[in-house]
Amino acid sequence: MIVRNILVSGASGIVGYGILRSLGKTGGQFRLVGTTIYEDSVAEGFCDVFEKAPLTNDEKYIPWLLTIIGKHKVDLLIPGIEADMYKWVEHVAEIENHGAKVLLNTRELIELCKDKWLFYEKLNSFKTPYAIESLLKPNFDILSDKFGLPFLLKPRRGFGSKGIVRVGDQDEFEKHRDAVGVTLMAQPIVGTDEEEYTTSAFCDGRGGFFAFMTLKRRLSKEGFTEKAEVVDLVGIQEALDVLCEIFKPLGPTNFQFRKHNGILKLLEINPRVSSSTSIRAAFGYNECQMSVDYFIEGKKPTQPLISHGRAVRYIEDFIFFDNPKVV
């Protein structure tokens, strides 16, 4: 059996160690290299080799990364944080010249998803039912007439639910008016917290997809999935058909929806492995394993048999002994 060396960045975070845990389920097929800027994180508990990384925006970062690729003969890099995804897409040629593949979506989609307004404009141009109407007008009367009260001001850049403002009156709006159109965009509130879904699809880059899985979820205060239930969501295959044809994503791609008056509305696309990856792997959908098979071995994914059930995230202790007991 060939053992592949897989580097996972941001290994101290929920996405990073979720990727490591998912790959760890495969029975020794991988030698896992975890990287993070933190020396005292949980990352070492889920990888075979730990490397402390410089900040992604440090001028020394790329030379350091290339050194680590050579040192550990890395076959595939998987980003566990968005900053690394954005940095790596600018240096793909250098990384691949050092012998490693990079798990990245298309450059076009990564760039488009940086700005939710530009993303909305493209989606809306196709007149699909999945777009949530959005405006950049810094005018309370126009927005409240159009969207009702309360409505949302959402950061054009960012992820999860971070930075979203719920506007219930003009006083609240005035606190943020100057940012509307610049860093914030306005949207109506669609659906409820009880009708929020996250779907991961493994996409072929040509407008189709090989496999997918949907979770009904509840978010934590940090914007990550806290509770989830495996569901068969009505209309999801049709939605993926349309959205994949428009955006042509490649590899693991996360689609977030709310159901509003019986219609699926797209909150956003994350062009990467998301924070629910370890939950999906536990139910039989291991997109990280699929990624190694596809991007290194050239093996196309097939729709796996997915178990049904629910998942709850909780705080757990991971103990590192100074002097491990010898059994």
Side-chain angles (χ1 to χ4, degrees), residues 188-288:
I189 295 175
V190 298
T192 65
D193 291 346
E194 287 70 36
E195 290 288 341
E196 186 156 322
Y197 303 89
T198 175
T199 296
S200 181
F202 201 103
C203 305
D204 64 11
R206 300 184 300 275
F209 58 95
F210 300 109
F212 73 98
M213 177 183 177
T214 299
L215 296 168
K216 187 177 184 179
R217 71 174 187 179
R218 294 280 295 195
L219 289 178
S220 68
K221 293 179 180 178
E222 290 75 30
F224 300 114
T225 299
E226 184 175 56
K227 297 180 180 180
E229 178 184 0
V230 179
V231 295
D232 299 314
L233 180 60
V234 174
I236 187 60
Q237 285 190 260
E238 294 82 356
L240 291 177
D241 284 338
V242 172
L243 295 170
C244 287
E245 179 60 32
I246 292 172
F247 296 107
K248 294 179 173 52
L250 175 65
T253 307
N254 177 239
F255 301 80
Q256 297 179 14
F257 298 93
R258 273 194 175 189
K259 187 176 285 187
H260 183 71
N261 295 330
I263 299 173
L264 291 177
K265 293 292 186 180
L266 183 67
L267 298 176
E268 63 182 358
I269 292 178
N270 292 316
R272 55 177 172 79
V273 175
S274 76
S275 66
S276 301
T277 192
S278 58
I279 294 176
R280 289 191 288 270
F283 286 107
Y285 187 92
N286 195 330
E287 62 193 332
C288 298

Side-chain angles (χ1 to χ4, degrees), residues 82-137:
E82 283 197 337
D84 288 343
M85 176 181 70
Y86 294 136
K87 176 65 73 171
W88 294 358
V89 78
E90 297 173 357
H91 296 273
V92 171
E94 294 170 74
I95 293 171
E96 292 187 343
N97 284 339
H98 278 69
K101 298 285 187 180
V102 192
L103 178 55
L104 290 172
N105 220 299
T106 67
R107 188 183 189 99
E108 294 76 16
L109 185 58
I110 290 172
E111 287 298 318
L112 192 62
C113 290
K114 276 185 178 181
D115 189 322
K116 292 180 174 62
W117 173 256
L118 298 180
F119 179 87
Y120 163 73
E121 282 193 309
K122 177 161 183 176
L123 178 59
N124 192 50
S125 70
F126 285 85
K127 306 302 179 186
T128 78
Y130 309 112
I132 300 172
E133 186 173 6
S134 304
L135 290 173
L136 295 183
K137 297 182 181 296

Side-chain angles (χ1 to χ4, degrees), residues 45-65:
F46 296 111
C47 58
D48 300 300
V49 179
F50 171 73
E51 293 281 1
K52 184 177 182 296
L55 292 171
T56 305
N57 60 4
D58 192 304
E59 63 181 14
K60 298 178 181 178
Y61 175 77
I62 290 298
W64 170 86
L65 181 64

